[in-house]
Amino acid sequence: MQTETSIEIQLKDAAQLSEAKWAVLAERVGGAWILHASYHLSRPAQNELMSLMARSSIDAWLCGSLSGGYARSSSIPLDIKLDAKRFFAFPIAGVSQVLLVGADKQTVNAQRVWKLIASLLSSKSVLPDQPFLPDLQSGLASDLPLAVEKILNTYVQSVNCQGAWIAIRRGELLDIQAEWNDASAQNISLLIDSNPILRRVNRSLAEVVITRGQPNWDNLPHGALKPNQIWICLPLIIGQRLIGVVAIWRQKEFSRAEMGQLRELSARVSPSIEVLVTFSEMAAHLRRLGLLNDFVLTVSSAQNLDQIARRMFGLLSRAFNTELIALFLRSGDGHILRDYRMFEGKMNVINVPLSGHSIDPVLKEGRVRRVEDTLKEGFVPIHKGARSLLIVPLKYRGQAIGVLIIENLRAEAFSQYDEHLMVVITSHLAGLIEYTRLREEAEGRARSLGLIHEVVQQVIGLNDKKEVAFISADLVARYFKYELAVILLKDDEGKFSIQGIGGTHTDVVQKALAGGQFIRSEGVTGKVSQTGESILVNDARQDKLHKPIKGWEARSEICVALKDGENILGIIDVESREANAFIGNDLIAMESLAGILASVISSANQYQKLQETIRQLRAIEIELNARMEAQRAAENKLLQAAKLAAVGEMAAGIAHELNNPLTTVIGFSEIVVGELEQTSPHREELEMVLREARRASGVVRRLLDFSRQGERARIRANLNEVVNDVIALTRHLIKTNGVRLHLELDEQLAWASIDPNQMKQVLLNLIHNALQAMPVGGEMFVSTCVAARDDHDWVVMSVKDNGLGINPEDQERVFEPFFTTKGDSGGTGLGLSVTYGIVTDHGGTIEISSEPGKGSTFAVWLPI
């Protein structure tokens, strides 16, 4: 036998000679194509090719090439990416194998190369002349479908045909075990007596040949064969007993030689099929005997009911070759039925009400029943299409606690031996299930107590009952995996409100409520809030007490009261959209939790009352402190005003005393300087005297300004106009000092009642201070805006610089008269005092924000 490596070398050499892009060796097994060897075809490309060969049209095209024994070619569909425009099929004689070659084209010589390779491969597969006895060492005897398929392939290779199938007899049925180019025939069971053609073959034990147009043409056992012209049915006989049939069809009639060859082949394969069927039945019998041992080893060691069901289903599926299995278990209270079934390879478990269920009468009857054919007996199976079934009740101490149902798509699939075997297994299974259920209930209660402890640990130290409810609802939903958990508390007026809600459907329920009441007086929550008695609803649709919320449909509900003695503090309501989602353990757990939460909430109520008293005392304390602080601020303002008034009076007196002499000095100095020649040695000294006298006069003038702050002429004006006038006067000075000016004026600025001249003086003082704080230049920001503070609207004018800044200890004194930070640079300490006086006289305030080395900001707040 050639290895895959040697075949791949042959494929490579042939592909290079024929200039093909790729090549594979494929075989049809079990109605599907598999690849044995390939050349220059990547794994993704192989998957593309496999998907193409799985198409029914391509499968029939390839089968036709095999049965006809001649090469074919076809274009590759555009949706298949195989790097070639066409692919060529070269059948290998004697086997169900074909060489597939991908190329844009193949010349006659290139096709001869591939036909030569096919002939070399076929020389390794010569049909034997001995009977087709199974090789017990190869495992073929244990795989009846594969062995029958190989036998059918022998028929297909012996004569040219377009389709075929082989059926094995089982009682009064013929089960199609293998097919050739007719996938729809797989696993079909044919009733012998219901078909005149099969009935004739069974009685005569001779082949039947039917041509299109004959009376029995419409009675062919499989309708998909009608487009062909000739159909023959060959019996497989042992003694005088029919053990199976082979059906073959094609367009042209079968010759005498072909018919003789088919009869001889049927006689040779019949003993082999008899041995295969017997061996298969014995293997099935042994597998079922091993079911008891497997039950003890695997099912008995399961830890919970779901695991027991899953393992039991696996054993029964292998033993009876079916996945149509259902297990129904009745709950401890007898109201709920737990339904276990396999769906798409996965265990599906649901809880349904027992009352009115089709299994309820079976449980009450409590007897074993075997249905050989549901169609004949008019029995409705659990699974659609099932033809036979076995119903075995699970009894524990004489009481049926459940039912195990095994079904099969084939009729008469279960024997009396199977029935007795399942009675023994279910008797052990019932005891195991009851023991596991009791253990699960105990473990569930212990787990619930543990989860309750976890919840209590989270809320035991809390003193806010709303926070207790909020956290508890979330933890209950999360720990117990509930879809919805709601905690409602009663206020001092006796009204209930949601204080905590948790679960996976919180948003849905909150949206459904939309301000509505969760408690319905005539519903479950209303009754519990009134009576304090717990309620468990298994199916809301069947319970008149349950009142649904629009937008949220609950099927199960638990509602318990939070009680402190006879006083109802609130309720816990747990809901699920599945019916029978809760059991007795859930109700016990919620009642236990409710008792603990009631104590915590009662303590929280007492604590909150104490806290309310403390809050009131603290509010009084804060109010007293605020009044005291306001009084201190008023005293400080009065003290500052007294200082300013005293300084003002003193300044007025000093100014009057100094103004006249200074005027005389300045006047005579100007006359003398005017009369002196430019070369006079005394001119420089007199100019210095004049300069210092004028400086002293300026100080006197500022003292007079300071003393005359009470004189004012207020008008409603726009502060932006004051800013623009002052900037027009100082723009040149600002520029010559190397300072860049930024104006940020609010165009929608509200008007204020001001003395424009005094406000100009305020701004001039602030700009001069800013310039002096930036001796080497910098940036100045002058802005106006409207701001709200203390429930009033204010006009704010600010001057900001990035100069030297003011030390924190000096910031509290900058508005005091005669205080200056300029040292010997000539500051009088009156500029900011005058500014402060003008602003406060306007009912406003002036604030300073400064940081040494980074600059200062002076903000003037004026009432609108």
Side-chain angles (χ1 to χ4, degrees):
M1 181 178 181
Q2 292 184 339
T3 64
E4 290 189 6
T5 302
S6 63
I7 295 175
E8 288 176 353
I9 293 174
Q10 292 179 0
L11 294 178
K12 176 181 178 181
D13 294 340
Q16 292 176 348
L17 288 173
S18 63
E19 298 182 351
K21 294 186 176 181
W22 53 263
V24 298
L25 173 63
E27 181 179 9
R28 193 175 191 272
V29 178
W33 291 91
I34 60 174
L35 303 183
H36 287 304
S38 67
Y39 165 71
H40 208 262
L41 199 62
S42 64
R43 178 63 61 183
Q46 291 181 25
N47 294 335
E48 286 280 306
L49 180 60
M50 295 286 287
S51 66
L52 176 63
M53 298 168 70
R55 297 181 181 181
S56 57
S57 59
I58 301 299
D59 179 51
W61 182 77
L62 292 172
C63 289
S65 176
L66 284 176
S67 61
Y70 51 84
R72 284 183 172 184
S73 70
S74 176
S75 59
I76 298 176
L78 296 177
D79 61 326
I80 301 296
K81 307 301 181 183
L82 287 174
D83 193 28
K85 295 181 180 179
R86 301 184 67 81
F87 70 109
F88 298 78
F90 299 94
I92 299 174
V95 292
S96 300
Q97 296 180 348
V98 63
L99 286 174
L100 291 178
V101 180
D104 292 338
K105 65 177 181 178
Q106 288 280 279
T107 64
V108 175
N109 289 334
Q111 293 187 41
R112 287 176 181 171
V113 171
W114 289 108
K115 290 178 180 178
L116 176 60
I117 298 297
S119 65
L120 291 175
L121 293 175
S122 67
S123 64
K124 306 296 180 179
S125 306
V126 180
L127 289 175
D129 292 329
Q130 68 273 18
F132 291 86
L133 291 174
D135 181 4
L136 299 180
Q137 299 298 322
S138 66
L140 184 63
S142 62
D143 192 343
L144 179 62
L146 181 60
V148 172
E149 182 177 2
K150 288 185 175 295
I151 291 174
L152 181 62
N153 288 339
T154 305
Y155 278 92
V156 173
Q157 297 298 329
S158 63
V159 296
N160 182 14
C161 65
Q162 293 178 328
W165 50 256
I166 184 170
I168 305 300
R169 184 168 185 174
R170 181 175 54 85
E172 297 303 317
L173 298 173
L174 285 170
D175 297 330
I176 297 180
Q177 298 280 0
E179 52 79 26
W180 173 259
N181 198 21
D182 186 16
S184 60
Q186 191 66 259
N187 296 324
I188 288 181
S189 295
L190 305 173
L191 187 61
I192 296 176
D193 288 340
S194 65
N195 186 276
I197 300 174
L198 297 179
R199 191 165 57 244
R200 175 181 169 185
V201 173
N202 184 39
R203 292 176 181 175
S204 64
L205 300 180
E207 72 270 9
V208 173
V209 180
I210 300 178
T211 306
R212 176 183 289 276
Q214 291 183 349
N216 274 332
W217 181 260
D218 293 333
N219 294 323
L220 293 182
H222 193 51
L225 317 179
K226 291 185 178 180
N228 297 278
Q229 300 295 326
I230 300 295
W231 185 87
I232 65 172
C233 183
L234 300 164
L236 302 175
I237 307 168
I238 296 294
Q240 295 298 314
R241 180 167 53 89
L242 180 71
I243 65 169
V245 296
V246 177
I248 304 175
W249 58 90
R250 68 181 187 185
Q251 292 288 346
K252 62 180 181 178
E253 294 184 0
F254 293 91
S255 65
R256 289 186 178 181
E258 288 175 328
M259 290 298 297
Q261 186 177 0
L262 291 174
R263 293 190 192 100
E264 180 182 357
L265 185 58
S266 297
R268 286 168 49 203
V269 302
S270 293
S272 299
I273 291 178
E274 177 74 1
V275 172
L276 288 169
V277 172
T278 302
F279 193 91
S280 177
E281 290 178 351
M282 291 176 60
H285 180 71
L286 292 175
R287 281 196 304 271
R288 295 178 186 181
L289 281 177
L291 185 61
L292 280 173
N293 185 54
D294 292 339
F295 175 82
V296 174
L297 293 177
T298 59
V299 178
S300 299
S301 62
Q303 299 299 314
N304 52 59
L305 292 177
D306 291 350
Q307 202 173 68
I308 289 174
R310 191 178 297 108
R311 293 183 179 183
M312 194 68 207
F313 277 40
L315 291 176
L316 296 177
S317 178
R318 291 192 297 272
F320 293 100
N321 194 28
T322 180
E323 292 190 355
L324 308 183
I325 306 171
L327 175 64
F328 299 92
L329 298 179
R330 183 165 53 186
S331 63
D333 57 10
H335 297 300
I336 307 301
L337 192 66
R338 197 166 177 83
D339 183 350
Y340 294 84
R341 301 192 204 185
M342 294 297 293
F343 181 72
E344 295 182 353
K346 295 181 179 180
M347 178 67 70
N348 186 35
V349 185
I350 59 173
N351 292 332
V352 295
L354 177 60
S355 178
H357 197 281
S358 59
I359 294 299
D360 193 17
V362 179
L363 282 170
K364 292 179 180 178
E365 187 179 14
R367 71 179 183 90
V368 181
R369 183 171 182 181
R370 177 162 52 94
V371 178
E372 294 186 348
D373 193 333
T374 56
L375 296 180
K376 286 184 177 180
E377 300 184 32
F379 192 91
V380 179
I382 297 294
H383 300 88
K384 185 178 181 180
R387 291 289 302 278
S388 58
L389 55 90
L390 190 60
I391 303 175
V392 188
L394 280 68
K395 292 187 176 182
Y396 181 74
R397 295 181 179 178
Q399 182 70 28
I401 64 170
V403 176
L404 179 65
I405 300 178
I406 310 173
E407 298 180 336
N408 201 300
L409 295 175
R410 297 183 293 109
E412 301 180 6
F414 305 104
S415 64
Q416 188 174 8
Y417 171 79
D418 297 330
E419 181 180 328
H420 294 161
L421 176 65
M422 289 311 302
V423 169
V424 175
I425 290 177
T426 52
S427 64
H428 293 287
L429 182 62
L432 178 62
I433 287 175
E434 192 64 20
Y435 167 77
T436 303
R437 181 154 51 193
L438 292 174
R439 189 187 71 240
E440 283 187 350
E441 288 181 0
E443 291 175 350
R445 292 184 182 181
R447 186 168 54 253
S448 297
L449 290 175
L451 294 175
I452 290 172
H453 177 72
E454 292 290 335
V455 174
V456 172
Q457 287 290 94
Q458 298 287 340
V459 302
I460 195 66
L462 300 177
N463 296 311
D464 185 350
K465 65 179 182 180
K466 294 182 179 180
E467 187 177 5
V468 171
F470 179 80
I471 295 176
S472 298
D474 179 64
L475 293 177
V476 166
R478 189 144 41 93
Y479 286 169
F480 288 89
K481 296 181 174 56
Y482 292 155
E483 292 181 73
L484 178 68
V486 181
I487 296 181
L488 299 97
L489 299 181
K490 186 167 65 173
D491 57 20
D492 295 336
E493 298 178 358
K495 296 181 179 180
F496 287 84
S497 61
I498 295 177
Q499 299 298 335
I501 183 168
T504 55
H505 295 83
T506 300
D507 295 338
V508 177
V509 175
Q510 289 178 330
K511 184 178 179 181
L513 287 173
Q517 292 295 324
F518 187 84
I519 290 185
R520 309 290 181 87
S521 58
E522 69 280 7
V524 172
T525 52
K527 185 174 182 180
V528 174
S529 65
Q530 295 168 10
T531 64
E533 298 178 357
S534 303
I535 295 178
L536 169 62
V537 176
N538 287 317
D539 190 350
R541 294 179 180 175
Q542 306 297 326
D543 197 309
K544 296 181 179 179
L545 198 59
H546 176 82
K547 304 299 179 185
I549 300 172
K550 188 177 181 181
W552 163 255
E553 183 180 359
R555 294 290 304 279
S556 304
E557 182 178 9
I558 293 177
C559 191
V560 298
L562 300 171
K563 295 191 295 183
D564 182 16
E566 295 300 323
N567 182 27
I568 298 177
L569 306 176
I571 63 172
I572 301 177
D573 189 72
V574 179
E575 298 183 5
S576 173
R577 292 194 299 181
E578 293 185 7
N580 307 293
F582 307 123
I583 58 176
N585 274 353
D586 295 295
L587 179 60
I588 294 172
M590 289 300 101
E591 288 178 337
S592 302
L593 179 62
I596 299 173
L597 289 181
S599 299
V600 176
I601 291 172
S602 180
S603 299
N605 280 336
Q606 299 298 326
Y607 180 82
Q608 284 177 342
K609 290 179 181 179
L610 178 62
Q611 287 295 103
E612 181 62 29
T613 303
I614 294 173
R615 278 195 294 270
Q616 291 175 359
L617 292 174
R618 285 179 178 173
I620 294 172
E621 180 186 7
I622 292 171
E623 184 179 354
L624 289 175
N625 289 336
R627 290 182 180 180
M628 293 170 64
E629 185 65 30
Q631 185 175 356
R632 281 196 294 269
E635 291 174 354
N636 289 335
K637 287 184 178 180
L638 288 174
L639 180 60
Q640 182 72 6
K643 285 182 181 181
L644 290 175
V647 171
E649 291 177 3
M650 181 182 68
I654 294 172
H656 283 294
E657 292 296 329
L658 294 179
N659 194 39
N660 292 333
L662 285 174
T663 302
T664 303
V665 171
I666 292 171
F668 281 105
S669 296
E670 287 176 346
I671 294 172
V672 173
V673 169
E675 292 177 352
L676 285 177
E677 296 181 358
Q678 294 292 332
T679 59
S680 174
H682 303 291
R683 185 179 181 85
E684 184 176 351
E685 287 83 353
L686 284 173
E687 286 180 346
M688 182 178 67
V689 171
L690 180 59
R691 203 164 44 245
E692 291 302 315
R694 286 175 177 171
R695 189 170 71 84
S697 178
V699 173
V700 171
R701 186 175 62 254
R702 285 194 289 274
L703 283 172
L704 290 173
D705 291 339
F706 181 76
S707 65
R708 291 196 295 267
Q709 290 178 23
E711 301 173 7
R712 59 188 182 182
R714 302 288 177 85
I715 61 172
R716 291 183 68 251
N718 190 335
L719 202 57
N720 285 342
E721 296 178 359
V722 173
V723 174
N724 288 325
D725 290 345
V726 173
I727 293 300
L729 294 173
T730 59
R731 189 180 297 275
H732 178 70
L733 179 62
I734 294 171
K735 184 175 181 181
T736 56
N737 277 270
V739 174
R740 186 165 57 180
L741 176 66
H742 301 276
L743 277 180
E744 299 173 356
L745 304 182
D746 186 354
E747 296 181 357
Q748 305 297 326
L749 191 68
W751 287 20
S753 178
I754 61 174
D755 184 331
N757 291 326
Q758 287 185 332
M759 282 298 112
K760 289 179 182 178
Q761 183 178 355
V762 168
L763 185 57
L764 278 170
N765 288 340
L766 296 179
I767 290 176
H768 284 151
N769 280 352
L771 292 175
Q772 291 171 357
M774 296 183 289
V776 294
E779 290 185 306
M780 180 190 299
F781 297 85
V782 179
S783 63
T784 60
C785 66
V786 175
R789 188 170 66 180
D790 300 333
D791 298 328
H792 295 288
D793 291 332
W794 302 75
V795 174
V796 182
M797 175 180 68
S798 62
V799 178
K800 177 181 178 183
D801 64 73
N802 59 352
L804 299 175
I806 305 173
N807 293 324
E809 60 270 16
D810 294 334
Q811 292 181 21
E812 297 179 357
R813 302 185 59 197
V814 294
F815 297 114
E816 294 182 2
F818 304 112
F819 177 81
T820 178
T821 60
K822 301 183 178 66
D824 299 333
S825 60
T828 63
L830 291 173
L832 288 178
S833 295
V834 171
T835 299
Y836 181 84
I838 293 173
V839 172
T840 55
D841 189 53
H842 280 71
T845 60
I846 181 169
E847 298 176 350
I848 179 174
S849 173
S850 182
E851 187 174 351
K854 293 187 178 180
S856 305
T857 301
F858 287 87
V860 176
W861 292 68
L862 297 173
I864 296 177

